[in-house]
Amino acid sequence: GYFGVIAGRQGFADALRRLFREIEQGGFDADGFAAVAHGDDKADELARLYRRYRERRAGFASIADNYGAALSQTPETPLIVYGLWQPAHLQMQLIEHCARSAGATILLPESGLDVDAAHAAFRERIMAIEGATHRTAAAATTATIAERVFRAPVADAPPIGAPSVALTNAPDTVREIWEAARTCLRWASEGIRFHEMAIAYRHREPYRALIDEIFGEAGIETYLHDGRLLSTHPLGRRVLSLLSLAASHETFERAPVMEFLTETVLPPDTKRRWPAFRPAAWETFTREAAVIEGIGQWRERLPRLASEMIERAKDPRFSWLADKAGRVHELLQFAEAFHAALAQRPGEATWGEHLAFLRGLCATYADGTEPLLDALKDLAALAAVQERVPFETFARAVREDFESRDTSRVLNEPVRLFGRQGVAVIDASSLRHLRFRAVCLVGVAERAWPPPSRPDPLLLEHERKQINAAGHGELPLRTEPDEEPLGFWLALQSADEHLSISYARADAGRSGRHLPSYFFRAVAEAIDGRPAMTLDDLAASSAVTRFEAGRLAARDIATSLSAAEYDRGLIRAANEGDLAGAIEAITAAAPAFGRARDARAQRRA
């Protein structure tokens, strides 16, 4: 049909799923949507696909079904609506139903600025509901940054009071989170406890994993709002790596194979079978043999390397290479067995057969993954949707499961309580109505916070407006009203005492340059009292701290986050002139360094 060119792509399926959920919560059944979505090939095809979707999931419940069931009940207690700015059509119907039956109170933030447009349409509908009460929070006092931002700077304005605001310009995302961790430690030294702090991001990638890893290295406890996911746990990564290798066993690329072998822990039985398992040495062998991909290259190039070693070993000076050649042969035998195990993966099979294959593979090559595989038994329930699926579909289901499942529920890790333990690591949308003594806002870069508005690729804004005009239901608009300014305004208010705002000039390990977002500039303008600041103005502003690229240690060595960073600080101190102190410290930790330096000095003399 109309979407035939892109029908097989994963992005199309994801976009279609989002659209169908919006249509359902917009109050449209299959006939209702077909009645308003017609007139061209695309609309007719969407209506046909939506009808098929409704028919195929007729035996399963959805969020829209829950709202429909609630509308048939008569509530006896008042409803409180909190944190909702743009309700879906069915949600609005339920609010109206509850308000008329038992009363409703809707709580909304109000800034007195243009940013309140985020919930203007909602406010208007509330006013027309009998039994509904609309309450707004008081605006910030004139001494706070939230009251100054998004307004024209005022000459001779009084200094900004609490919270104190710090702006940071970092070279990359890794360094940005390093400095955020250092900031949290500084706050802790002032008596603020970790659970009284928060670090918020607008985009989960790459910040959530970076925060978890870097804060853990620095010894800072964290509370992850959406949990510590199995996909980020070493055991979860091993399972997902095996799935990926099995799915692409025909190519058998050297890089992912060696990456997995370096990271995994072999079960005891496998260790006994391969006592010479040495991933570091094997990595060297595969590079020397110029293995790139394909089991054929492993079979051809590793024996050639072994033969060259044996030939060189005929020289008594290199006799030790004969033993090394034997280890190359052991690597080839392991690679043959590993490839054969991956190649056993089924093509199209039942969910139970796919799970059995994965369990057998992990039992041989990934020790400690049994609890994760036990949790995956839930996937067998998907047989009710489709009994037999391709291996790629199974692998995707496992990945999505790991990306949504908390490790504490699978690996019995301790559950941390919000507001009781650890720095809260949360999405910016969850920060809207929370308060902390100190808050870090990270990733405030152009096209990141706020992100560019994106219309639905399948049903554009003008098409949604035409459907809404028919009056049978209501689809949300993707580009209006804009929630981002009000969300950022609330994020500024979430800090009572200290607020840190940062952006990174580049993503770690990638090229390209990021610019500060309009929000970042708006805060700098409010602090400096200068309108329309340019990039040069920001660079010269005393309100912005800029960290240069290539500096791998803290400016103050006493604030190092780890022993490794402390050592880098010693080296930097030596380069910058404090040679004696650095040498003394390094020699105290590693006497061999001092002896080597003395020997070098004697040779030079």
Side-chain angles (χ1 to χ4, degrees):
Y2 180 87
F3 297 109
V5 177
I6 60 172
R9 303 198 178 182
Q10 178 178 326
F12 172 69
D14 291 338
L16 205 61
R17 175 175 58 182
R18 287 193 299 269
L19 175 59
F20 286 171
R21 287 177 174 175
E22 289 178 341
I23 294 172
E24 282 189 317
Q25 295 188 47
F28 296 97
D29 58 15
D31 292 333
F33 185 67
V36 295
H38 60 82
D40 58 33
D41 292 343
K42 184 178 78 169
D44 292 341
E45 181 68 3
L46 284 174
R48 185 187 72 81
L49 290 171
Y50 181 57
R51 183 180 299 278
R52 185 180 176 204
Y53 164 77
R54 297 271 296 187
E55 291 171 351
R56 290 194 66 186
R57 75 147 198 86
F60 302 92
S62 71
I63 295 174
D65 294 328
N66 294 338
Y67 284 124
L71 285 168
S72 66
Q73 306 297 316
T74 302
E76 298 178 356
T77 57
L79 173 71
I80 296 179
V81 180
Y82 182 68
L84 187 64
W85 297 351
Q86 299 175 21
H89 181 70
L90 289 183
Q91 290 175 329
M92 193 67 217
Q93 285 188 328
L94 185 58
I95 292 171
E96 293 172 344
H97 175 65
C98 293
R100 295 190 179 103
S101 301
T105 299
I106 294 90
L107 305 175
L108 293 172
E110 189 170 47
S111 67
L113 304 169
D114 292 342
V115 299
D116 291 340
H119 51 59
F122 188 23
R123 288 200 315 271
E124 290 179 6
R125 296 190 65 169
I126 293 169
M127 301 301 183
I129 303 174
E130 182 181 352
T133 301
H134 161 222
R135 297 183 180 178
T136 56
T141 63
T142 56
T144 66
I145 186 65
E147 178 63 13
R148 301 272 187 91
V149 78
F150 301 137
R151 291 187 187 273
V154 178
D156 299 324
I160 295 174
S164 63
V165 184
L167 299 175
T168 301
N169 173 348
D172 56 51
T173 49
V174 172
R175 185 61 186 270
E176 182 184 9
I177 302 306
W178 276 7
E179 299 308 326
R182 222 181 309 278
T183 298
C184 289
L185 289 175
R186 186 175 68 251
W187 290 338
S189 69
E190 298 175 7
I192 301 176
R193 291 173 289 184
F194 285 143
H195 69 263
E196 296 173 318
M197 308 176 195
I199 179 167
Y201 49 83
R202 181 60 183 82
H203 290 286
R204 183 168 160 178
E205 297 298 333
Y207 285 104
R208 188 192 173 285
L210 279 177
I211 295 168
D212 189 22
E213 184 173 342
I214 292 174
F215 274 54
E217 181 182 359
I220 302 175
E221 290 183 316
T222 55
Y223 166 84
L224 299 176
H225 188 55
D226 51 358
R228 186 166 281 107
L229 304 180
L230 281 180
S231 59
T232 63
H233 193 280
L235 293 177
R237 292 200 299 266
R238 290 168 197 169
V239 174
L240 295 177
S241 294
L242 278 175
L243 279 172
S244 178
L245 289 170
S248 60
H249 72 275
E250 295 90 349
T251 59
F252 202 61
E253 295 182 44
R254 184 199 69 82
V257 168
M258 295 312 306
E259 181 180 353
F260 168 75
L261 295 180
T262 302
E263 204 270 343
T264 193
V265 175
L266 295 183
D269 289 345
T270 308
K271 284 183 178 179
R272 285 191 286 270
R273 182 182 175 190
W274 304 102
F277 180 76
R278 298 290 186 274
W282 288 2
E283 167 78 9
T284 302
F285 295 158
T286 55
R287 288 182 180 276
E288 290 178 353
V291 173
I292 300 174
E293 64 178 13
I295 188 62
Q297 288 188 0
W298 296 72
R299 292 167 177 164
E300 173 189 352
R301 299 181 182 183
L302 286 176
R304 182 191 304 161
L305 175 65
S307 298
E308 292 173 356
M309 291 178 174
I310 291 174
E311 186 65 26
R312 291 189 65 194
K314 294 178 180 178
D315 185 333
R317 295 174 300 169
F318 303 105
S319 59
W320 50 273
L321 283 175
D323 179 63
K324 199 172 181 181
R327 283 180 278 162
V328 173
H329 283 296
E330 290 172 341
L331 164 58
L332 177 59
Q333 293 171 4
F334 181 93
E336 292 273 17
F338 187 39
H339 178 266
L342 296 173
Q344 293 299 313
R345 66 123 169 122
E348 183 173 297
T350 65
W351 292 91
E353 290 169 344
H354 285 307
L355 286 168
F357 163 75
L358 180 59
R359 183 176 290 275
L361 197 62
C362 290
T364 306
Y365 295 104
D367 193 33
T369 56
E370 293 81 2
L372 282 68
L373 300 173
D374 290 340
L376 287 176
K377 291 179 181 178
D378 295 348
L379 294 181
L382 292 175
V385 180
Q386 189 170 347
E387 185 176 353
R388 299 178 66 84
V389 293
F391 184 80
E392 291 75 14
T393 301
F394 167 75
R396 181 182 173 194
V398 172
R399 181 173 297 278
E400 291 186 353
D401 183 285
F402 280 12
E403 289 175 348
S404 62
R405 198 186 289 260
D406 192 344
T407 57
S408 62
R409 301 180 182 178
V410 177
L411 301 174
N412 295 321
E413 293 183 349
V415 178
R416 292 177 176 171
L417 301 177
F418 175 73
R420 301 286 186 87
Q421 183 181 10
V423 177
V425 182
I426 55 181
D427 182 272
S429 60
S430 300
L431 191 63
R432 288 176 175 177
H433 305 292
L434 298 175
R435 300 299 288 266
F436 298 87
R437 291 181 65 185
V439 175
C440 285
L441 306 180
V442 298
V444 190
E446 189 176 56
R447 302 184 65 81
W449 193 345
S453 59
R454 291 187 175 91
D456 180 12
L458 301 182
L459 200 60
L460 301 177
E461 299 293 86
H462 73 278
E463 294 169 327
R464 290 172 178 246
K465 290 178 180 179
Q466 292 172 359
I467 290 173
N468 293 343
H472 295 286
E474 186 176 2
L475 290 176
L477 300 180
R478 291 283 186 87
T479 61
E480 56 181 90
D482 187 2
E483 290 189 354
E484 295 294 334
L486 182 57
F488 187 76
W489 185 84
L490 287 174
L492 296 179
Q493 292 216 87
S494 64
D496 287 330
E497 300 177 21
H498 295 284
L499 178 64
S500 171
I501 305 173
S502 64
Y503 83 97
R505 300 191 293 275
D507 292 326
R510 297 184 183 179
S511 59
R513 184 185 180 193
H514 295 169
L515 300 176
S517 115
Y518 160 70
F519 291 165
F520 189 94
R521 295 199 308 271
V523 174
E525 290 168 3
I527 294 175
D528 280 7
R530 300 171 58 189
M533 292 179 68
T534 65
L535 291 178
D536 291 338
D537 293 335
L538 282 176
S541 172
S542 60
V544 180
T545 301
R546 186 181 190 276
F547 292 93
E548 62 272 25
R551 193 177 185 96
L552 301 179
R555 291 179 174 178
D556 179 3
I557 194 172
T559 65
S560 299
L561 296 181
S562 64
E565 189 183 19
Y566 185 86
D567 290 343
R568 292 195 296 269
L570 292 176
I571 297 171
R572 190 207 69 207
N575 291 335
E576 294 180 355
D578 186 14
L579 187 60
I583 291 175
E584 180 181 353
I586 296 174
T587 302
F593 172 81
R595 294 194 296 271
R597 185 176 181 278
D598 291 342
R600 179 173 179 272
Q602 291 172 14
R603 287 197 301 273
R604 289 174 64 87

